[in-house]
Amino acid sequence: MKQTITKNFLLIVLALAVVFAFAMKATVFQNPTATPVPSATTPPEFASYWFSGKAELNSYRLEQAQYGALNPGEAVLVFVTEDFRTDKQVKSETPASRDKSIPILKTNISKKFVTGVYDYSLFTSVFTPINNMVFPNTLKVSTSGQEWCGHSYLQLNYRNNGYQIDGKSYFENEAEEEYTVGKAMLEDELWNRIRLNPAQLPVGDVQMIPGTMAARLRHKRLEPLLAKTKLDDYEGVLYPGKFLKSYTVQYPTDDRTLIIVFEGQFPHKIVGWEETYNSNDNLLTSRAVLKKTIQSDYWNHNAPADSTLRTELMKQ
């Protein structure tokens, strides 16, 4: 018996490891992340769309202002619900952390564009609780930027009735940043707020913390600024869709204006946006126009054969 165990020791250890992994739900054959569950007060239409186990993926044709010129590129907006830990402010991935978590709507915003010979890649994630009555503030925003000069990272966490801001950057004046600002509406959360309930968007003069992508591109420190906001019917012809609305954010002290255009009817799909500011003394308007929307559990489609889904999403 002892000789048999010794001879097959590695095989026995491997078998025990596999059994233990299945018991702990830790194998690659199992998905440890459960689909978030809506609360009893969630409207059926909202629950059916946002808690179906799929994300909404949107591709956009992009022109991005940088270095005094408009640069061609592409943008992607991803919206998905997930369980989010309120203590560590990260995604809940184990059953043990479910009681520390709440359902949130997450925005992932990706922008890629080329400036001359080299390219830029920007990515922002925004985590907004769905239950606005209990958790009225967005809990976290993170933004990373990569370009051929270097890269940067910026993160906001809601703590102690304000936002803790931490940043790292290749650029000298942004190399090490750690400061706090008072509680205010985040420009970055507007995408989630539109999808959750555009009727609750603030209108008039409000204090707003500008978007993190714009801050990094323009090398601006984040702080609440006076913003003049309004919600209108969209009267133009640049964006696709019916019954469109536009939400405008104008910063008088920063000479910058953001307009987000979206469908007035549920699920309030965002069909484009434009952003106007000075770039190298040229007043330019960046613009993104919707190309395609699909719903997919994209995290389960990462094999080479799944590239057909990306082709469908990104096609003109």
Side-chain angles (χ1 to χ4, degrees):
M1 180 67 176
K2 181 177 180 181
Q3 184 177 7
T4 301
I5 293 175
T6 302
K7 184 177 180 181
N8 299 284
F9 178 76
L10 290 178
L11 182 60
I12 293 171
V13 170
L14 179 61
L16 290 173
V18 170
V19 170
F20 179 78
F22 270 97
M24 298 301 293
K25 298 182 178 180
T27 77
V28 296
F29 306 107
Q30 301 176 66
N31 182 3
T33 305
T35 301
V37 178
S39 68
T41 59
T42 303
E45 184 181 39
F46 187 94
S48 176
Y49 191 85
W50 289 115
F51 290 89
S52 64
K54 293 183 178 181
E56 183 195 88
L57 315 178
N58 305 274
S59 65
Y60 299 82
R61 187 169 54 254
L62 176 68
E63 285 186 311
Q64 180 65 48
Q66 185 71 343
Y67 302 126
L70 289 174
N71 305 281
E74 63 183 30
V76 173
L77 267 181
V78 178
F79 293 96
V80 65
T81 55
E82 62 186 29
D83 287 327
F84 195 72
R85 293 185 59 161
T86 56
D87 55 347
K88 294 185 176 182
Q89 296 188 355
V90 294
K91 180 181 179 180
S92 172
E93 296 185 292
T94 62
S97 66
R98 291 288 184 265
D99 62 346
K100 303 180 181 69
S101 305
I102 59 171
I104 57 97
L105 182 62
K106 177 175 70 174
T107 307
N108 284 335
I109 308 174
S110 170
K111 294 181 183 179
K112 295 183 179 180
F113 57 96
V114 175
T115 57
V117 70
Y118 68 100
D119 49 28
Y120 271 74
S121 179
L122 305 173
F123 196 98
T124 294
S125 293
V126 188
F127 306 86
T128 304
I130 290 174
N131 191 335
N132 187 60
M133 296 295 293
V134 179
F135 297 94
N137 300 105
T138 287
L139 297 179
K140 181 178 179 180
V141 175
S142 60
T143 289
S144 62
Q146 300 82 37
E147 42 107 350
W148 287 11
C149 289
H151 58 263
S152 64
Y153 184 80
L154 193 60
Q155 182 167 303
L156 291 75
N157 292 88
Y158 182 71
R159 295 193 178 100
N160 301 320
N161 208 35
Y163 283 98
Q164 170 68 41
I165 300 175
D166 295 285
K168 303 287 185 181
S169 178
Y170 158 84
F171 297 98
E172 182 179 13
N173 291 334
E174 304 163 348
E176 300 278 348
E177 295 178 303
E178 185 175 341
Y179 58 96
T180 60
V181 297
K183 180 176 65 176
M185 173 71 73
L186 302 174
E187 180 186 309
D188 284 333
E189 72 182 282
L190 294 176
W191 318 91
N192 279 337
R193 297 298 178 192
I194 288 170
R195 306 312 304 271
L196 291 171
N197 187 353
Q200 293 183 349
L201 290 168
V203 175
D205 291 351
V206 300
Q207 289 292 307
M208 189 170 293
I209 299 173
T212 49
M213 279 190 185
R216 276 312 194 209
L217 285 176
R218 302 168 69 217
H219 302 288
K220 296 274 189 174
R221 181 183 174 93
L222 289 177
E223 60 180 344
L225 299 177
L226 172 66
K228 296 182 176 296
T229 65
K230 60 180 180 178
L231 179 63
D232 294 312
D233 292 332
Y234 176 71
E235 303 291 348
V237 295
L238 292 175
Y239 301 99
K242 297 180 179 179
F243 310 110
L244 298 181
K245 297 283 189 179
S246 65
Y247 186 69
T248 302
V249 179
Q250 180 186 15
Y251 299 97
T253 61
D254 196 32
D255 295 326
R256 177 171 164 265
T257 301
L258 171 69
I259 302 175
I260 304 174
V261 183
F262 60 95
E263 294 177 342
Q265 297 179 345
F266 184 84
H268 309 300
K269 184 167 59 179
I270 293 174
V271 298
W273 64 89
E274 53 192 60
E275 183 183 7
T276 302
Y277 57 81
N278 274 299
S279 177
N280 285 17
D281 295 325
N282 290 329
L283 186 64
L284 299 174
T285 298
S286 303
R287 183 174 286 110
V289 180
L290 180 68
K291 296 191 299 181
K292 182 73 174 181
T293 298
I294 63 175
Q295 285 186 291
S296 172
D297 53 338
Y298 67 88
W299 48 90
N300 290 324
H301 298 284
N302 46 35
D306 295 320
S307 62
T308 55
L309 289 175
R310 181 174 181 82
T311 301
E312 177 187 357
L313 175 65
M314 304 304 294
K315 67 183 180 183
Q316 296 289 336

